[in-house]
Amino acid sequence: MRRKQTAQEKTNERAYEDGERCRRKGLGFTSKGKYDYAAWRRYFKLGFRKIYRWVDVDEAYDAWVQGWNDEDDRLTALRAGYHPCGRPI
């Protein structure tokens, strides 16, 4: 029997997926190609305009950043000719 997800877990899951989506679109970089942390906060807020008071926003933001970073790692590996696990393509 599966246990029911809490509101925090659902929000974290959605934030993680939104972070991946933003990275796939190439969002969150400055014009010089560096990470733009202020933009990350803006993109997170755009995806989660209404976060209820019983959800920890900082935890959801950390999940968003983790999703962004994981997708960045995956794209970097693919660009280098490797699967994310390290095997060559």
Side-chain angles (χ1 to χ4, degrees), residues 11 25 78:
T11 303
K25 287 185 171 185
L78 290 175

Side-chain angles (χ1 to χ4, degrees), residues 5-22:
Q5 282 186 318
T6 64
Q8 182 70 53
E9 291 170 339
K10 288 178 186 176
T11 303
N12 290 349
E13 189 176 303
R14 283 184 31 232
Y16 183 89
E17 291 169 0
D18 189 53
E20 287 180 322
R21 182 186 59 79
C22 286

Side-chain angles (χ1 to χ4, degrees), residues 23 35 66-79 82-84:
R23 175 55 189 99
Y35 298 139
Q66 185 65 42
W68 197 96
N69 286 327
D70 288 349
E71 186 65 16
D72 187 47
D73 292 343
R74 188 184 76 81
L75 292 174
T76 301
L78 290 175
R79 226 177 284 120
Y82 293 94
H83 290 286

Side-chain angles (χ1 to χ4, degrees), residues 2-3 8 29 31 45 70 72 77 83:
R2 287 181 49 164
R3 75 176 183 83
Q8 182 70 53
F29 290 107
S31 59
K45 287 180 181 178
D70 288 349
D72 187 47
H83 290 286

Side-chain angles (χ1 to χ4, degrees), residues 45-62:
K45 287 180 181 178
L46 282 175
F48 296 88
R49 288 189 180 104
K50 184 177 181 183
I51 297 181
Y52 300 99
R53 64 176 177 241
W54 57 81
V55 175
D56 183 10
V57 176
D58 291 331
E59 187 176 332
Y61 178 70
D62 290 341

